[in-house]
PDB file of all heavy atoms in Angstrom:
ATOM      1  N   ILE B  13     -45.019-140.365  42.041  1.00 90.00           N
ATOM      2  CA  ILE B  13     -44.852-140.558  43.368  1.00 90.00           C
ATOM      3  C   ILE B  13     -45.616-139.338  44.110  1.00 90.00           C
ATOM      4  O   ILE B  13     -45.986-139.491  45.203  1.00 90.00           O
ATOM      5  CB  ILE B  13     -43.353-140.491  43.741  1.00 90.00           C
ATOM      6  CG1 ILE B  13     -43.163-141.186  45.079  1.00 90.00           C
ATOM      7  CG2 ILE B  13     -42.793-139.167  43.832  1.00 90.00           C
ATOM      8  CD1 ILE B  13     -41.787-141.846  45.296  1.00 90.00           C
ATOM      9  N   ASP B  24     -57.100-141.616  54.043  1.00 86.00           N
ATOM     10  CA  ASP B  24     -57.518-141.734  55.446  1.00 86.00           C
ATOM     11  C   ASP B  24     -58.539-140.663  55.818  1.00 86.00           C
ATOM     12  O   ASP B  24     -59.168-140.865  56.872  1.00 86.00           O
ATOM     13  CB  ASP B  24     -56.303-141.577  56.427  1.00 86.00           C
ATOM     14  CG  ASP B  24     -55.309-142.623  56.124  1.00 86.00           C
ATOM     15  OD1 ASP B  24     -55.620-143.705  55.714  1.00 86.00           O
ATOM     16  OD2 ASP B  24     -54.132-142.239  56.204  1.00 86.00           O
ATOM     17  N   GLU B  33     -56.640-140.594  38.868  1.00 93.00           N
ATOM     18  CA  GLU B  33     -55.342-139.889  38.785  1.00 93.00           C
ATOM     19  C   GLU B  33     -55.085-139.586  37.315  1.00 93.00           C
ATOM     20  O   GLU B  33     -55.408-140.362  36.505  1.00 93.00           O
ATOM     21  CB  GLU B  33     -54.292-140.748  39.333  1.00 93.00           C
ATOM     22  CG  GLU B  33     -54.191-141.032  40.781  1.00 93.00           C
ATOM     23  CD  GLU B  33     -53.098-141.814  41.268  1.00 93.00           C
ATOM     24  OE1 GLU B  33     -52.131-141.955  40.371  1.00 93.00           O
ATOM     25  OE2 GLU B  33     -53.178-142.459  42.299  1.00 93.00           O
ATOM     26  N   VAL B  52     -60.699-131.134  41.362  1.00 94.00           N
ATOM     27  CA  VAL B  52     -59.559-131.535  40.681  1.00 94.00           C
ATOM     28  C   VAL B  52     -58.280-130.824  41.366  1.00 94.00           C
ATOM     29  O   VAL B  52     -58.253-129.672  41.492  1.00 94.00           O
ATOM     30  CB  VAL B  52     -59.453-131.158  39.229  1.00 94.00           C
ATOM     31  CG1 VAL B  52     -58.211-131.632  38.596  1.00 94.00           C
ATOM     32  CG2 VAL B  52     -60.737-131.747  38.600  1.00 94.00           C
ATOM     33  N   MET B  54     -54.694-129.804  40.805  1.00 92.00           N
ATOM     34  CA  MET B  54     -54.122-129.710  39.563  1.00 92.00           C
ATOM     35  C   MET B  54     -52.685-129.176  39.693  1.00 92.00           C
ATOM     36  O   MET B  54     -52.525-128.063  40.083  1.00 92.00           O
ATOM     37  CB  MET B  54     -54.950-128.729  38.562  1.00 92.00           C
ATOM     38  CG  MET B  54     -54.404-128.385  37.271  1.00 92.00           C
ATOM     39  SD  MET B  54     -54.483-129.761  36.131  1.00 92.00           S
ATOM     40  CE  MET B  54     -56.172-129.879  35.633  1.00 92.00           C
ATOM     41  N   GLY B  60     -46.675-131.176  28.004  1.00 58.00           N
ATOM     42  CA  GLY B  60     -47.937-131.352  27.167  1.00 58.00           C
ATOM     43  C   GLY B  60     -48.864-130.264  27.409  1.00 58.00           C
ATOM     44  O   GLY B  60     -48.507-129.073  27.502  1.00 58.00           O
ATOM     45  N   ASN B  62     -50.672-127.970  29.797  1.00 73.00           N
ATOM     46  CA  ASN B  62     -50.247-127.693  31.219  1.00 73.00           C
ATOM     47  C   ASN B  62     -51.565-127.394  32.019  1.00 73.00           C
ATOM     48  O   ASN B  62     -52.605-127.398  31.572  1.00 73.00           O
ATOM     49  CB  ASN B  62     -49.287-126.433  31.134  1.00 73.00           C
ATOM     50  CG  ASN B  62     -49.834-125.230  30.806  1.00 73.00           C
ATOM     51  OD1 ASN B  62     -51.160-124.923  31.078  1.00 73.00           O
ATOM     52  ND2 ASN B  62     -49.037-124.492  30.026  1.00 73.00           N
ATOM     53  N   GLU B  65     -54.000-124.494  30.793  1.00 75.00           N
ATOM     54  CA  GLU B  65     -54.846-124.862  29.679  1.00 75.00           C
ATOM     55  C   GLU B  65     -55.911-125.986  30.075  1.00 75.00           C
ATOM     56  O   GLU B  65     -57.020-125.844  29.628  1.00 75.00           O
ATOM     57  CB  GLU B  65     -53.939-125.270  28.496  1.00 75.00           C
ATOM     58  CG  GLU B  65     -52.983-124.309  27.997  1.00 75.00           C
ATOM     59  CD  GLU B  65     -53.650-122.946  27.676  1.00 75.00           C
ATOM     60  OE1 GLU B  65     -54.667-123.045  26.965  1.00 75.00           O
ATOM     61  OE2 GLU B  65     -53.292-121.873  28.062  1.00 75.00           O
ATOM     62  N   LYS B  68     -58.740-124.428  32.003  1.00 79.00           N
ATOM     63  CA  LYS B  68     -59.696-123.834  31.032  1.00 79.00           C
ATOM     64  C   LYS B  68     -60.539-124.815  30.479  1.00 79.00           C
ATOM     65  O   LYS B  68     -61.906-124.598  30.459  1.00 79.00           O
ATOM     66  CB  LYS B  68     -59.045-123.016  30.052  1.00 79.00           C
ATOM     67  CG  LYS B  68     -58.495-121.671  30.442  1.00 79.00           C
ATOM     68  CD  LYS B  68     -57.760-120.981  29.221  1.00 79.00           C
ATOM     69  CE  LYS B  68     -56.716-120.132  29.673  1.00 79.00           C
ATOM     70  NZ  LYS B  68     -55.759-119.735  28.584  1.00 79.00           N
ATOM     71  N   ALA B  81     -55.222-125.446  42.322  1.00 91.00           N
ATOM     72  CA  ALA B  81     -53.854-125.561  41.770  1.00 91.00           C
ATOM     73  C   ALA B  81     -52.862-125.951  42.890  1.00 91.00           C
ATOM     74  O   ALA B  81     -53.002-125.314  44.009  1.00 91.00           O
ATOM     75  CB  ALA B  81     -53.541-124.247  41.151  1.00 91.00           C
ATOM     76  N   MET B  84     -45.271-125.813  42.621  1.00 83.00           N
ATOM     77  CA  MET B  84     -44.091-125.520  43.149  1.00 83.00           C
ATOM     78  C   MET B  84     -43.663-123.898  42.963  1.00 83.00           C
ATOM     79  O   MET B  84     -42.975-123.414  43.539  1.00 83.00           O
ATOM     80  CB  MET B  84     -42.722-126.237  42.607  1.00 83.00           C
ATOM     81  CG  MET B  84     -43.167-127.523  42.061  1.00 83.00           C
ATOM     82  SD  MET B  84     -41.639-128.264  41.300  1.00 83.00           S
ATOM     83  CE  MET B  84     -40.343-127.180  41.937  1.00 83.00           C
ATOM     84  N   THR B  92     -51.607-115.898  38.427  1.00 72.00           N
ATOM     85  CA  THR B  92     -52.586-115.294  37.741  1.00 72.00           C
ATOM     86  C   THR B  92     -53.214-116.082  36.657  1.00 72.00           C
ATOM     87  O   THR B  92     -54.354-116.179  36.333  1.00 72.00           O
ATOM     88  CB  THR B  92     -52.202-113.860  37.197  1.00 72.00           C
ATOM     89  OG1 THR B  92     -51.002-114.163  36.406  1.00 72.00           O
ATOM     90  CG2 THR B  92     -51.749-112.963  38.306  1.00 72.00           C
ATOM     91  N   ASP B 110     -52.358-130.310  55.806  1.00 86.00           N
ATOM     92  CA  ASP B 110     -53.592-129.820  56.498  1.00 86.00           C
ATOM     93  C   ASP B 110     -54.131-128.687  55.694  1.00 86.00           C
ATOM     94  O   ASP B 110     -55.382-128.436  55.666  1.00 86.00           O
ATOM     95  CB  ASP B 110     -53.400-129.433  57.810  1.00 86.00           C
ATOM     96  CG  ASP B 110     -53.253-130.530  58.710  1.00 86.00           C
ATOM     97  OD1 ASP B 110     -53.783-131.705  58.403  1.00 86.00           O
ATOM     98  OD2 ASP B 110     -52.662-130.428  59.890  1.00 86.00           O
ATOM     99  N   LEU B 112     -53.903-128.347  52.492  1.00 89.00           N
ATOM    100  CA  LEU B 112     -54.599-128.785  51.414  1.00 89.00           C
ATOM    101  C   LEU B 112     -55.959-129.165  51.759  1.00 89.00           C
ATOM    102  O   LEU B 112     -56.956-129.006  50.948  1.00 89.00           O
ATOM    103  CB  LEU B 112     -53.890-130.011  50.870  1.00 89.00           C
ATOM    104  CG  LEU B 112     -54.438-130.738  49.598  1.00 89.00           C
ATOM    105  CD1 LEU B 112     -54.852-129.847  48.369  1.00 89.00           C
ATOM    106  CD2 LEU B 112     -53.690-131.870  49.101  1.00 89.00           C
ATOM    107  N   LYS B 117     -61.905-128.288  51.457  1.00 87.00           N
ATOM    108  CA  LYS B 117     -63.201-127.986  52.229  1.00 87.00           C
ATOM    109  C   LYS B 117     -63.736-126.644  51.770  1.00 87.00           C
ATOM    110  O   LYS B 117     -64.942-126.472  51.533  1.00 87.00           O
ATOM    111  CB  LYS B 117     -63.032-128.084  53.738  1.00 87.00           C
ATOM    112  CG  LYS B 117     -63.038-129.433  54.357  1.00 87.00           C
ATOM    113  CD  LYS B 117     -62.722-129.362  55.780  1.00 87.00           C
ATOM    114  CE  LYS B 117     -62.021-130.730  56.299  1.00 87.00           C
ATOM    115  NZ  LYS B 117     -61.211-130.468  57.502  1.00 87.00           N
ATOM    116  N   LYS B 122     -67.742-123.947  47.774  1.00 78.00           N
ATOM    117  CA  LYS B 122     -67.883-122.878  46.786  1.00 78.00           C
ATOM    118  C   LYS B 122     -67.035-121.536  47.188  1.00 78.00           C
ATOM    119  O   LYS B 122     -67.491-120.454  46.718  1.00 78.00           O
ATOM    120  CB  LYS B 122     -69.311-122.459  46.428  1.00 78.00           C
ATOM    121  CG  LYS B 122     -70.211-123.520  46.258  1.00 78.00           C
ATOM    122  CD  LYS B 122     -69.818-124.427  44.987  1.00 78.00           C
ATOM    123  CE  LYS B 122     -70.703-125.703  44.912  1.00 78.00           C
ATOM    124  NZ  LYS B 122     -70.112-126.666  44.035  1.00 78.00           N
ATOM    125  N   ILE B 142     -53.999-102.180  37.855  1.00 29.00           N
ATOM    126  CA  ILE B 142     -55.364-102.112  38.314  1.00 29.00           C
ATOM    127  C   ILE B 142     -56.336-102.395  37.173  1.00 29.00           C
ATOM    128  O   ILE B 142     -57.384-102.810  37.280  1.00 29.00           O
ATOM    129  CB  ILE B 142     -55.643-100.542  38.828  1.00 29.00           C
ATOM    130  CG1 ILE B 142     -54.899-100.672  40.113  1.00 29.00           C
ATOM    131  CG2 ILE B 142     -57.119-100.327  39.090  1.00 29.00           C
ATOM    132  CD1 ILE B 142     -54.928 -99.190  40.908  1.00 29.00           C
ATOM    133  N   VAL B 160     -32.290-102.165  27.463  1.00 86.00           N
ATOM    134  CA  VAL B 160     -31.529-102.049  28.795  1.00 86.00           C
ATOM    135  C   VAL B 160     -31.565-103.386  29.445  1.00 86.00           C
ATOM    136  O   VAL B 160     -30.501-103.803  29.933  1.00 86.00           O
ATOM    137  CB  VAL B 160     -32.054-101.079  29.634  1.00 86.00           C
ATOM    138  CG1 VAL B 160     -31.420-101.052  31.079  1.00 86.00           C
ATOM    139  CG2 VAL B 160     -31.947 -99.588  29.055  1.00 86.00           C
ATOM    140  N   THR B 170     -24.135-100.645  34.671  1.00 90.00           N
ATOM    141  CA  THR B 170     -25.013 -99.649  34.387  1.00 90.00           C
ATOM    142  C   THR B 170     -24.130 -98.493  33.714  1.00 90.00           C
ATOM    143  O   THR B 170     -24.675 -97.829  32.585  1.00 90.00           O
ATOM    144  CB  THR B 170     -25.520 -98.882  35.680  1.00 90.00           C
ATOM    145  OG1 THR B 170     -26.094 -99.935  36.419  1.00 90.00           O
ATOM    146  CG2 THR B 170     -26.398 -97.780  35.410  1.00 90.00           C
ATOM    147  N   LYS B 171     -22.928 -98.327  34.061  1.00 90.00           N
ATOM    148  CA  LYS B 171     -22.134 -97.202  33.406  1.00 90.00           C
ATOM    149  C   LYS B 171     -21.732 -97.640  32.021  1.00 90.00           C
ATOM    150  O   LYS B 171     -21.921 -96.747  31.080  1.00 90.00           O
ATOM    151  CB  LYS B 171     -20.741 -97.188  34.217  1.00 90.00           C
ATOM    152  CG  LYS B 171     -19.753 -96.089  33.722  1.00 90.00           C
ATOM    153  CD  LYS B 171     -18.473 -96.076  34.410  1.00 90.00           C
ATOM    154  CE  LYS B 171     -18.282 -95.306  35.632  1.00 90.00           C
ATOM    155  NZ  LYS B 171     -17.003 -95.399  36.118  1.00 90.00           N
ATOM    156  N   ILE B 179     -26.388 -92.409  26.709  1.00 89.00           N
ATOM    157  CA  ILE B 179     -27.335 -91.725  27.647  1.00 89.00           C
ATOM    158  C   ILE B 179     -26.725 -91.721  28.968  1.00 89.00           C
ATOM    159  O   ILE B 179     -25.681 -92.335  29.302  1.00 89.00           O
ATOM    160  CB  ILE B 179     -28.634 -92.383  27.709  1.00 89.00           C
ATOM    161  CG1 ILE B 179     -28.462 -93.858  28.130  1.00 89.00           C
ATOM    162  CG2 ILE B 179     -29.476 -92.246  26.367  1.00 89.00           C
ATOM    163  CD1 ILE B 179     -29.822 -94.623  28.222  1.00 89.00           C
ATOM    164  N   ARG B 188     -33.857 -99.406  34.361  1.00 90.00           N
ATOM    165  CA  ARG B 188     -33.799-100.613  35.127  1.00 90.00           C
ATOM    166  C   ARG B 188     -34.803-100.695  36.173  1.00 90.00           C
ATOM    167  O   ARG B 188     -35.404-101.813  36.265  1.00 90.00           O
ATOM    168  CB  ARG B 188     -32.311-100.793  35.784  1.00 90.00           C
ATOM    169  CG  ARG B 188     -32.246-101.873  36.771  1.00 90.00           C
ATOM    170  CD  ARG B 188     -30.831-102.274  37.183  1.00 90.00           C
ATOM    171  NE  ARG B 188     -29.932-101.190  37.272  1.00 90.00           N
ATOM    172  CZ  ARG B 188     -29.897-100.323  38.365  1.00 90.00           C
ATOM    173  NH1 ARG B 188     -30.863-100.371  39.283  1.00 90.00           N
ATOM    174  NH2 ARG B 188     -29.026 -99.293  38.471  1.00 90.00           N
ATOM    175  N   GLN B 193     -39.906-102.893  38.304  1.00 84.00           N
ATOM    176  CA  GLN B 193     -41.197-102.731  38.920  1.00 84.00           C
ATOM    177  C   GLN B 193     -42.298-103.251  38.007  1.00 84.00           C
ATOM    178  O   GLN B 193     -43.342-103.796  38.396  1.00 84.00           O
ATOM    179  CB  GLN B 193     -41.559-101.337  39.343  1.00 84.00           C
ATOM    180  CG  GLN B 193     -41.923-100.237  38.340  1.00 84.00           C
ATOM    181  CD  GLN B 193     -42.002 -98.917  38.846  1.00 84.00           C
ATOM    182  OE1 GLN B 193     -41.088 -98.365  39.483  1.00 84.00           O
ATOM    183  NE2 GLN B 193     -43.113 -98.309  38.577  1.00 84.00           N
ATOM    184  N   THR B 199     -34.041-108.472  41.717  1.00 89.00           N
ATOM    185  CA  THR B 199     -32.750-108.850  41.701  1.00 89.00           C
ATOM    186  C   THR B 199     -32.071-109.080  40.334  1.00 89.00           C
ATOM    187  O   THR B 199     -32.834-109.494  39.483  1.00 89.00           O
ATOM    188  CB  THR B 199     -32.456-110.023  42.621  1.00 89.00           C
ATOM    189  OG1 THR B 199     -32.869-111.219  41.932  1.00 89.00           O
ATOM    190  CG2 THR B 199     -33.143-109.987  44.002  1.00 89.00           C
TER     191      THR B 199
END
Side-chain angles (χ1 to χ4, degrees):
Chain B
I13 206 162
D24 301 326
E33 292 179 17
V52 179
M54 175 73 74
N62 70 37
E65 297 308 314
K68 275 183 216 164
M84 325 180 18
T92 56
D110 284 344
L112 177 58
K117 282 176 204 151
K122 313 299 177 201
I142 292 179
V160 170
T170 304
K171 187 193 271 187
I179 56 181
R188 173 168 32 77
Q193 81 187 47
T199 71

